[in-house]
Amino acid sequence: METNNDKTILFVTGAFVTHHCWDEWKVYFENLGYKTIAPAWPFKDGYAAELRARQPDDVDLALLTLTEVIDSYAKVAAGIPGKPYIIGHSLGGMMTQVLNNRGLARAAVAIHSVPTLGVFPYEFSFLKAGWKSLGLFTSLKKTYLMSFKDWQYAFVNGMPLDQQQKAWEQFTVPESKTVARGGLTSAAKVDYNKPHAPMLFTAGSEDNIIPAHLNRRNFNRYKKNGSVLEYKEFPGRNHFVLGQPGWEGDAKYVADWIAKY
């Protein structure tokens, strides 16, 4: 008889933050009996302070591509017996969609996901929160670090100042502009008509950088072809959903959902 101990959850990290953003989620799901893994992106295996100390001259990270990041997770997923549950946040949600499209997931959860190619993000708050990461008219050999002011708007809006500052210090790291630009290329492409493993989209009513309306439009692009496809919007949730007070409610919903598959 299969148990949770036979099942693995692969957490896929988004942009601007360290993979340690999953630490509490890993403990939560391990307490439910799952095995968990949250690999760092290439050249981002470290804590926030040490990665920020390399800013802006970490050329290896600066020249990293979205394809390379996705392929690094695909390699991990392919090595997990029986296929993992794949859970990704933000850009990690978009990568989760790509990985699921490749047939690598037992089931997939895209949390406040960056849209896949073909879903044009025209929402003003998305453009305001994310355009600087593209690094237009700047050197691609230098990384981009989200300022605390931009972090307040993009991730932690509505939270007390001390919590916003603690979250920035603990999780915010330099980012590759080439990875950010990769979201506008075929690296972010999925076949919306292709049958896929069960997939859940979650969104938050207070998310600025990935508004719920954008998540729903991404969800609606998939052809209803008999594949399990669900959408859930949580009230009061900003983009820092992995660490925002009350995150356990989101985690419980995800845990209950994946337990069905």
Side-chain angles (χ1 to χ4, degrees):
M1 178 178 177
E2 190 177 55
T3 69
N4 284 354
N5 287 317
D6 302 311
K7 301 175 183 178
T8 300
I9 295 174
L10 171 60
F11 291 110
V12 183
T13 308
F16 312 121
V17 294
T18 170
H19 64 295
H20 291 291
C21 64
W22 292 110
D23 285 356
E24 291 185 306
W25 282 62
K26 288 176 86 263
V27 171
Y28 182 93
F29 280 91
E30 286 166 3
N31 286 339
L32 294 176
Y34 293 93
K35 300 175 184 176
T36 72
I37 182 172
W41 288 19
F43 311 115
K44 287 176 72 173
D45 190 0
Y47 286 93
E50 63 184 281
L51 293 172
R52 287 197 299 268
R54 304 175 189 171
Q55 166 69 15
D57 299 315
D58 187 347
V59 178
D60 288 334
L61 175 59
L63 297 180
L64 184 67
T65 67
L66 179 60
T67 295
E68 290 172 328
V69 180
I70 294 173
D71 286 348
S72 74
Y73 282 102
K75 183 177 180 180
V76 173
I80 295 173
K83 297 184 181 181
Y85 297 106
I86 303 181
I87 301 175
H89 170 251
S90 193
L91 189 65
M94 183 266 281
M95 291 191 280
T96 293
Q97 294 182 62
V98 174
L99 295 169
N100 196 32
N101 206 241
R102 294 185 186 180
L104 292 169
R106 177 188 295 235
V109 182
I111 299 173
H112 298 223
S113 179
V114 170
T116 40
L117 192 69
V119 181
F120 183 72
Y122 56 73
E123 286 82 357
F124 173 76
S125 63
F126 171 87
L127 300 172
K128 178 180 178 180
W131 73 270
K132 291 181 182 178
S133 64
L134 298 176
L136 301 178
F137 311 113
T138 67
S139 172
L140 291 180
K141 293 185 178 181
K142 293 185 179 296
T143 53
Y144 164 77
L145 179 65
M146 183 176 284
S147 70
F148 177 64
K149 181 178 180 180
D150 289 338
W151 170 261
Q152 286 180 293
Y153 180 80
F155 273 77
V156 291
N157 51 295
M159 291 168 56
L161 179 61
D162 62 330
Q163 292 181 16
Q164 294 178 333
Q165 292 173 326
K166 180 180 179 181
W168 192 92
E169 291 291 340
Q170 189 171 0
F171 297 114
T172 306
V173 297
E175 195 50 84
S176 163
K177 301 166 192 173
T178 54
V179 168
R181 295 184 188 188
L184 305 174
T185 72
S186 61
K189 184 178 180 179
V190 299
D191 181 352
Y192 296 111
N193 297 315
K194 181 181 178 181
H196 54 78
M199 185 159 58
L200 169 68
F201 283 81
T202 72
S205 67
E206 304 306 309
D207 193 325
N208 282 334
I209 193 169
I210 308 292
H213 183 259
L214 179 54
N215 284 143
R216 180 169 283 280
R217 288 195 293 110
N218 191 170
F219 164 81
N220 284 335
R221 280 302 305 269
Y222 283 85
K223 182 179 180 180
K224 307 307 183 283
N225 57 17
S227 300
V228 174
L229 184 67
E230 299 182 21
Y231 175 89
K232 171 67 176 179
E233 181 177 330
F234 291 92
R237 311 307 287 161
N238 60 26
H239 199 60
F240 190 59
V241 57
L242 303 185
Q244 185 182 10
W247 63 265
E248 296 90 346
D250 299 62
K252 182 180 186 304
Y253 188 94
V254 171
D256 291 344
W257 186 85
I258 67 170
K260 295 185 291 186
Y261 304 106

